[in-house]
Amino acid sequence: MWQQKIQQQTEKEQISVVNSKLFVEPDEFTINGDLLKFSARWLGQNQDILVYYRFHSKKEKEEFEKIQVPFVAETTGNVDSIKGPTNDNEFDFRRFMLTKNISNELQAKKMTVLPVLGNVGIKYRFSSYLHVLRKKMIDHLEKISQPLGWFTQVLLIGYQSESFQESMDQINKLGLLYLFTLSGMHVYYLVNLIRYLTRKMRVTQENTDILLLFILPIYGIIGGGSLGLLRSLLMSWLHIFSRRFSSVPLTGIETWSLVLLLNLIVTPAAIFSLGAQLSYLLTLILLLDHHKNQFIVGLKMGGFTIPLVLWHTYTWNIWTIPLSIMIGPIFDWFIFPVVIIGTFFSPLRGVCNQALIVLQWFFGWSSDLPGTIIFGKPPVLFVFIWLTLMLFYQITEQKIKLTVCLILSYTIAFCVIHFPIENEVTYFDIGQGDCSLIKTRFNKQIYLIDTGGKLTFNTEKWQIRNSRTNGETVVVNYLHSKGISRIDRLYLTHQDTDHVGNFPSISKNITVKQLMIPAGMEKLASFQRRLLISNVDPHVVKAVTDQAYPGKGLDLIQILHPFQSGAGKNEDSLVLLYQLYGKKFLFTGDLDQKNELKVIQKYPSLTADVMKTGHHGSKTASAPDFIEHLKPKLAIISAGRNNRYGHPDQETLLTLQKSAVPYLVTAKSGMIKIRTTFKGNFSVQTFNNNNNEEKKVKHAS
């Protein structure tokens, strides 16, 4: 039924809306630079929708920041379904939004804010007053001493400030994010605090229970309504209700089961999220092992979380389990009390803030310690095996045999991921940019050609957005999913941002052993600035031509261009030839037609089985004589969806058609993977909107 409902409300094709009205709560919107993002109730359509809007002026942004009450947004724009990932193992934002029962998004071009009162049929709900209170709390906590205000936002009202992102990344890296997500611990503290205060006021336990039955749902809204918080609140509510009004009170396991079933009925997609899986699983372990000491429980919780964390994040920190065991009491007796005291007792606010500064430093220091294992994404079969073995720990005495089985299965999964038997050439869907990966069998050689990067045009300070680059979210994420933690050679074909802009952010997450650039580019100020903020050692930078470090031999990349030192422009682009089992892969950067012809003049025997077309399919590249000379069996075009340049150009596509060259465009196909075999054939796999389709392309020996 849920699936049918989602399919019915999801727009199959993009539609335009004019003056469509949306009801927005004041704590539901976030502002990042010039981008406004919020989820809202689409009035008259009986569904929630995700909305994006770009501010046209600094004044408009400032006016929006002042809003603290519910409002109606009258919008004009385009509505479309939320798209799925287009790269292998990329974060599935579509599935994430389905956990909130949202399947459509609105790209608003025009927006007018209208008051709720005065719009016929729209009234304040009781929950709206709670959203107003939460918004005021968020704004107030932004103004007090930091990081105290940020910790309070996270721990008491489930809101994370953009300024607190770095600390949360450190906490996440250490595997301690569950401590800072509103969940069972926070509800436990809230219930105990209310019971303590009511006892002091001589309120009976029966009246306290009734009071809690009203307070817990209210806190669910003020706390942000996260799945972990709602699970814990509902379990507590059902437990109190059954004890007070039922002759047979529910046990902890029964309550847990009922809440899980309700969750599956209301938002079934939520169970695919890591947060939901950890929330329910760890709660179950605590219910089963509540009588055991914290050390044993901590080890078991670690054993249960590792499979899920590896499946979702591909990495594991060896300090997670010892820190989890140690930080539990610290959280109970230090972090939470300090946050409460500092927030509500202003005379002690300075001392509490300093204590949290020290804590913040500790998290930063701990996250920098060596110990992060890039494990990769395990096959789903292994995840089920590991969780099953951990469940057997609950009922069997043969702990040693189970431990041996766990160690052996983890070792097998690690080897399967880290020593693949296939060779692979991958063209990332990196938007309007270029990024390609060459990965040989057993991950013996890892080469990356360009990194992609986002172009910005006349951006003012108020428009700048804080966000991770797609070099991190796409490239690094994919490398980690394959258990890769280093790049043997990174080739930057030329200076353009859409080819090199992401290399600093990638280098901070993946070790770059050698950086190859066209001779002359090393002198550019733009390159030196990027090199300075990267983690690349300047001594591993090699400025190359076809004569300096040309590269020869099997499984190596040969440099065919530039012929001499230049300025890192399009006409100076690296041209790279990679050969494997008799198959040739050519990469040309943004090389122009004039220099393409010079390349085949100097290398008259040059051919290619797979060719990466120059300059994203622009008509400035892919000269007809060049294509006809190479006779590629497949052309790959890397271009962004709806890009402002009109790439790929129809002239280029016509050139490929005249030479009978089939082609794939990342804008339509998503990531493109080519796997080679000993027989001389290669298979092509494309990814688009989370639907994989595989094509076999056979060639004569």
Side-chain angles (χ1 to χ4, degrees), residues 102-114:
I102 297 176
S103 60
N104 294 315
E105 65 181 22
L106 167 61
Q107 297 286 346
K109 299 177 181 178
K110 179 182 176 184
M111 179 180 296
T112 304
V113 175
L114 305 174

Side-chain angles (χ1 to χ4, degrees), residues 243-401:
R243 189 182 64 182
R244 183 57 49 206
F245 299 104
S246 174
S247 58
V248 184
L250 294 170
T251 65
I253 296 295
E254 290 168 341
T255 306
W256 179 89
S257 303
L258 281 173
V259 172
L260 177 55
L261 287 171
L262 286 171
N263 192 159
L264 290 172
I265 291 170
V266 178
T267 54
I271 206 64
F272 290 108
S273 69
L274 176 61
Q277 292 168 3
L278 290 179
S279 179
Y280 281 105
L281 185 59
L282 297 183
T283 301
L284 177 62
I285 302 309
L286 289 172
L287 288 171
L288 295 174
D289 289 343
H290 65 277
H291 60 284
K292 296 184 179 179
N293 65 56
Q294 185 170 344
F295 179 77
I296 297 298
V297 173
L299 287 177
K300 278 193 175 181
M301 291 175 71
F304 274 102
T305 59
I306 289 174
L308 296 176
V309 170
L310 290 182
W311 174 257
H312 287 277
T313 69
Y314 326 130
T315 64
W316 179 255
N317 194 299
I318 63 173
W319 304 110
T320 296
I321 293 179
L323 279 173
S324 296
I325 296 171
M326 178 185 71
I327 207 168
I330 294 176
F331 188 89
D332 290 345
W333 298 102
F334 174 70
I335 299 175
F336 206 78
V338 164
V339 168
I340 296 296
I341 292 170
T343 302
F344 295 102
F345 298 94
S346 55
L348 298 176
R349 188 167 292 168
V351 176
C352 293
N353 193 59
Q354 287 300 316
L356 292 175
I357 290 175
V358 173
L359 179 70
Q360 204 174 22
W361 170 85
F362 172 75
F363 286 138
W365 174 79
S366 301
S367 66
D368 289 335
L369 291 174
T372 299
I373 299 172
I374 309 300
F375 189 94
K377 186 174 184 176
V380 68
L381 175 62
F382 281 92
V383 177
F384 281 111
I385 290 173
W386 296 330
L387 291 175
T388 302
L389 290 174
M390 287 303 303
L391 287 172
F392 271 108
Y393 261 102
Q394 300 292 122
I395 59 174
T396 184
E397 297 297 327
Q398 298 180 344
K399 311 289 187 186
I400 296 177
K401 289 184 179 179

